[in-house]
């Protein structure tokens, strides 16, 4: 086919996607109450430290029961959002409608509660799932005042060079940046990661291979989050 005029096509280089979900206030309050009850009677729950990367010396990492009735709204939200995430991806790569990739089962593989005190942190790590197709997620439930007081609501794209501003933040990385933040415009490179303020009631969902970490904070109070891994089983892996 002959072409008489110039044409332009933009090919995006984004490697994947991250979902951000803000839950209703009522659901957040119910989860905060549940988390408080779990932490006040933590000896009744399995210590999940052995299976996690966290360097949490003062707080707890507790495995939560899969059949907990008080988590049913949370589980329903994760299942619905994870299915949407997967279908959005299939649409993007042109596989939606392929019987081999139709979801046959959605498995919330495990859920655990994290409580961080001053100095506790989580080094760079990723997660694993039973299915080859898996998602990770975490939800912020409680943010100490010492973190809130230094957070800049007017400037969410903060620099790692600013003191204290990143205390208690979670970082998700999906690539490697060859330039400093100050050189981003000069390099014409998009962000390769994001610093997330632990906003209460906010859930993030992303592929299990994405590295992430939690910075320590200084001050009083407890930072509480809940995490869940999701295994997606399409027909291809039905056996």
């Amino acid at each position: 086919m002959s072409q008489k005029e110039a044409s332009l096509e933009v090919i995006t280089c984004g490697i994947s996607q991250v979902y951000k979900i803000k839950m209703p206030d009522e659901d957040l309050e119910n989860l905060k109450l549940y988390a408080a009850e779990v932490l006040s009677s933590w000896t009744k729950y399995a210590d999940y430290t052995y299976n996690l990367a966290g360097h949490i010396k003062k707080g707890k990492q507790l495995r939560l029961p899969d059949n907990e009735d008080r988590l049913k709204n949370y589980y329903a939200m994760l299942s619905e959002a994870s299915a949407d995430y997967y279908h959005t991806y299939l649409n993007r790569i042109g596989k939606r409608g392929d019987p081999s990739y139709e979801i046959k089962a959605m498995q919330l593989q495990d859920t655990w509660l994290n409580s961080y005190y001053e100095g506790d942190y989580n080094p760079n790590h990723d997660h694993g799932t039973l299915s080859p197709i898996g998602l990770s997620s975490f939800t912020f439930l409680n943010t100490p005042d010492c973190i809130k007081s230094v957070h800049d609501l007017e400037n969410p794209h903060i620099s790692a060079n600013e003191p204290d501003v990143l205390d208690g933040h979670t970082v998700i990385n999906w690539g490697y940046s060859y330039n400093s933040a100050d050189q981003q415009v000069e390099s014409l490179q998009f962000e390769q990661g994001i610093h997330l303020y632990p906003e209460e009631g906010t859930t993030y969902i992303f592929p299990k291979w994405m590295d992430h970490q939690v910075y320590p904070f200084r001050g009083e109070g407890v930072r509480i989050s809940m995490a869940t891994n999701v295994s997606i089983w399409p027909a291809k892996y039905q056996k």
Side-chain angles (χ1 to χ4, degrees):
M1 179 183 296
S2 62
Q3 182 167 317
K4 297 180 180 181
E5 296 181 3
S7 64
L8 171 67
E9 178 184 1
V10 177
I11 300 174
T12 59
C13 299
I15 192 171
S16 189
Q17 59 187 1
V18 176
Y19 269 23
K20 177 182 178 180
I21 304 168
K22 195 72 169 69
M23 67 176 61
D25 291 341
E26 182 179 357
D27 288 348
L28 171 60
E29 289 306 313
N30 289 336
L31 287 179
K32 288 170 74 78
L33 287 173
Y34 173 70
E37 292 177 13
V38 170
L39 292 172
S40 66
S41 57
W42 61 269
T43 55
K44 298 179 181 179
Y45 297 85
D47 185 349
Y48 214 38
T49 303
Y50 73 94
N51 201 44
L52 302 173
H55 288 248
I56 299 179
K57 306 301 181 182
K58 301 176 183 178
K60 302 294 180 185
Q61 298 178 107
L62 303 173
R63 178 75 157 82
L64 300 178
D66 297 327
N67 59 349
E68 173 56 60
D69 186 63
R70 295 175 67 177
L71 295 179
K72 63 180 181 180
N73 287 346
Y74 167 75
Y75 288 149
M77 176 197 70
L78 279 185
S79 295
E80 182 178 351
S82 296
D84 184 83
Y85 185 108
Y86 178 64
H87 289 146
T88 299
Y89 171 75
L90 291 182
N91 283 332
R92 175 71 181 269
I93 66 171
K95 294 290 186 181
R96 187 69 189 273
D98 186 331
S100 298
Y101 295 100
E102 178 187 352
I103 297 178
K104 292 298 182 181
M106 183 82 68
Q107 181 182 10
L108 301 182
Q109 188 176 308
D110 48 5
T111 298
W112 64 96
L113 192 68
N114 302 300
S115 62
Y116 299 79
Y117 287 86
E118 182 179 32
D120 290 336
Y121 69 97
N122 219 322
N124 205 38
H125 66 287
D126 56 22
H127 290 184
T129 58
L130 296 174
S131 171
I133 303 175
L135 297 170
S136 299
S137 74
F138 54 78
T139 300
F140 297 122
L141 298 182
N142 191 74
T143 303
D145 289 339
C146 62
I147 295 177
K148 294 178 179 178
S149 63
V150 297
H151 178 62
D152 188 351
L153 294 173
E154 301 300 324
N155 184 24
H157 297 286
I158 49 184
S159 169
N161 296 324
E162 298 181 45
D164 300 334
V165 177
L166 292 177
D167 278 11
H169 281 55
T170 295
V171 183
I172 299 180
N173 297 307
W174 50 83
Y176 179 78
S177 177
Y178 296 92
N179 302 280
S180 67
D182 296 334
Q183 296 173 317
Q184 183 177 356
V185 175
E186 289 85 348
S187 67
L188 300 177
Q189 184 183 53
F190 295 127
E191 289 181 321
Q192 301 299 305
I194 188 170
H195 294 85
L196 302 175
Y197 167 69
E199 181 183 1
E200 296 177 358
T202 304
T203 298
Y204 290 90
I205 300 175
F206 50 96
K208 64 178 180 179
W209 54 262
M210 276 192 185
D211 288 341
H212 51 289
Q213 60 183 302
V214 178
Y215 290 149
F217 66 90
R218 288 154 288 192
E220 297 181 353
V222 56
R223 178 192 188 278
I224 302 175
S225 65
M226 190 156 58
T228 300
N229 290 325
V230 183
S231 282
I232 298 175
W233 297 97
K236 181 179 179 180
Y237 303 112
Q238 191 168 6
K239 291 184 180 180

